[in-house]
Every structure is written in structure tokens, then in C-alpha cells.
Amino acid sequence: RIPEFISRLPERPVVCAFTATATFGVRDDIIRCLGLKNPVCMTTGFDRPNLYFEVRHPQDKFEALNTLLKKYRGECGIIYCLTRRSVETLTRRLIRQGLAAAPYHAGLPKEERERNQASWLADETPVIVATNAFGMGIDKPDVRFVIHYNMPGDMEAYYQEAGRAGRDGLPSDCILLFHYRDIVINEFFLKQSEKDIEKRQADSGENLPARRKERERMKEDFLSLRREKLREMMRYAGAK
């Protein structure tokens, strides 16, 4: 409704739009949705040398996760899972192992989500296990690690979530634990999105086939590991 509001003003003001990371497609959507006229587009660099990126292929993810958490003992971190069920199951297993962890996903009552988030921000609970519902607006500087327990849905989401580590400039780790089962889960979500693809395209103009192609390419990249992932993410987002 922003373009509608602007059109009602006696004189059109200068309109600016800012975002942290956005692909070319997202930038085009912003320009179109806000009705920007011949905008000057500027992209600053977002290569963060303090972040260490790694993709691992463990046979036993939970064992690999435990090994990592021993390394990060006492440090603040985020573990991202693809589904709510995975969040609940993994949190329970970590608590049974004696780790102070809390879950966060959209299916939890609002009060519980707020309580868990506040506990994490106050360093009372060092580890939060979450879906992608967690993190928007969070700017905790001392997150020492972000672990993806599952392959994320697309490259943009991965870089945004991993980028919540090390905002104080200190060395921090971004680790993805990959397993072939992740492909099955992601393909399920892709098929779900395809069911309403035509309606969403008609309503929003979103280029969903292109997004599906990007997700498929991302899957192939994680399988092959032939490219350096940070550089690939930066090219995907349009950075030099």
C-alpha cells in the first residue's frame, strides 16, 4: 500500500528502499512493488572475512553436532532446522545431553517464543534451535556459530541466516551439516510450492520457476562441493 499512499501526496517525494541482502530478483520486486522511477541502485560489499564457512557430510549428524557443540561450549549460537518437528526433536535430545538449549518456531505459543528468545539474548540459554522463523530483526553481536542441521531452501536464506554469526567482527563459524535426506525434504517443499505456482505468479508477478531453478542449482552445488560456497553466495546476490 506504500505506492498508493505516495500517489495521494500533493508532490511525490524522493523514495529510497534499503535491505541487507537481496538478489537481483528481489531488487526487481522492490522496484516494481514500490513503483520506483529510474532508481539508482547501489550494492555495497558484504564479504565478511571473520566468518568461516564449511559444508560437512557426516554419517551421523547428531554425533557431528555434539562434537561441534563441545568445541563451542559456553559460546552463543544458533542451530537452524528445516521443520518444526526437527526443532522439537533436536532440542529435546540436546537437553538430555545436558546442554542448555531452547526451541523457536512459528508453531510455539507467542509467550514461549518471546521467553526463549529473551533467554537467548540475555545469555541465559546459549543455544537456540530454530526454523527460519527466528532471526528477523535479531542483531546479537556475539553469536559465535550458526549451524544448519538441514540444507536450507535457497542460497539467499542460507547467507542471511549464516550472516547472523560474528556481527562483532570476531571469528565465527558457519557450518552446514549435509545429508542426502535433506534433498527429499526440500523437494517436498518445492512440490508444495508448485501447487499454487500459477496463482502466485498471477497475483504477485513472482518468477517462481526461476526460484525453483535456483534451489535445484543450490542442491547440486552442495552435492558436488566443486565451488567455494561464499563466492557462490556473493555472485548469487549480485556482489562483486
Side-chain angles (χ1 to χ4, degrees):
R1 300 179 66 180
I2 294 175
E4 180 184 350
F5 166 75
I6 294 174
S7 68
R8 293 178 179 178
L9 298 175
E11 184 176 345
R12 180 182 174 89
V14 175
V15 180
C16 299
F18 302 91
T19 185
T21 55
T23 64
F24 289 119
V26 171
R27 276 175 260 179
D28 289 342
D29 285 345
I30 292 172
I31 293 170
R32 177 179 54 81
C33 292
L34 295 181
L36 302 182
K37 299 179 179 180
N38 300 317
V40 175
C41 297
M42 299 182 64
T43 303
T44 59
F46 48 86
D47 186 0
R48 296 169 58 196
N50 64 308
L51 298 186
Y52 169 75
F53 287 85
E54 183 181 352
V55 179
R56 298 188 180 186
H57 287 209
Q59 290 298 314
D60 186 328
K61 277 194 181 186
F62 189 70
E63 182 180 339
L65 178 63
N66 265 328
T67 300
L68 286 169
L69 293 177
K70 288 175 183 176
K71 171 185 174 182
Y72 304 128
R73 187 175 300 278
E75 301 284 7
C76 175
I78 306 170
I79 302 171
Y80 278 107
C81 297
L82 202 54
T83 67
R84 299 176 184 181
R85 182 178 180 181
S86 297
V87 167
E88 296 284 353
T89 301
L90 184 58
T91 304
R92 286 194 296 268
R93 292 186 72 181
L94 292 176
I95 291 173
R96 285 199 296 268
Q97 295 279 98
L99 181 74
Y104 190 104
H105 60 72
L108 292 173
K110 180 181 178 183
E111 296 76 15
E112 185 175 354
R113 291 200 309 270
E114 291 178 347
R115 182 172 63 252
N116 291 348
Q117 178 174 303
S119 177
W120 180 77
L121 288 170
D123 294 324
E124 296 168 356
T125 305
V127 175
I128 194 154
V129 184
T131 61
N132 59 7
F134 179 78
M136 191 64 69
I138 296 296
D139 193 23
K140 196 175 192 310
D142 59 344
V143 177
R144 292 281 72 86
F145 64 91
V146 172
I147 298 172
H148 279 79
Y149 201 69
N150 306 109
M151 185 180 81
D154 55 54
M155 198 70 78
E156 182 181 6
Y158 177 65
Y159 192 67
Q160 287 182 341
E161 291 162 6
R164 291 179 180 126
R167 292 190 174 180
D168 54 5
L170 296 179
S172 303
D173 293 344
C174 306
I175 310 294
L176 189 149
L177 302 178
F178 178 82
H179 193 281
Y180 288 96
R181 282 193 298 268
D182 296 339
I183 298 174
V184 177
I185 298 173
N186 272 282
E187 286 180 343
F188 169 78
F189 285 124
L190 285 169
K191 289 176 182 177
Q192 291 295 107
S193 70
E194 286 175 350
K195 290 181 180 179
D196 61 350
I197 188 169
E198 291 182 0
K199 182 178 184 303
R200 286 175 60 187
Q201 276 188 289
D203 292 346
S204 67
E206 183 182 5
N207 190 353
L208 291 182
R211 289 204 171 191
R212 189 184 195 284
K213 186 176 180 181
E214 286 294 341
R215 290 193 187 100
E216 290 293 338
R217 182 190 55 75
M218 180 184 178
K219 176 183 73 176
E220 292 168 3
D221 280 350
F222 280 126
L223 282 170
S224 66
L225 293 181
R226 290 175 184 168
R227 304 177 189 174
E228 200 280 305
K229 289 297 166 287
L230 178 57
R231 299 299 166 192
E232 177 67 11
M233 285 186 283
M234 292 179 68
R235 287 195 295 272
Y236 176 73
K240 300 293 184 182

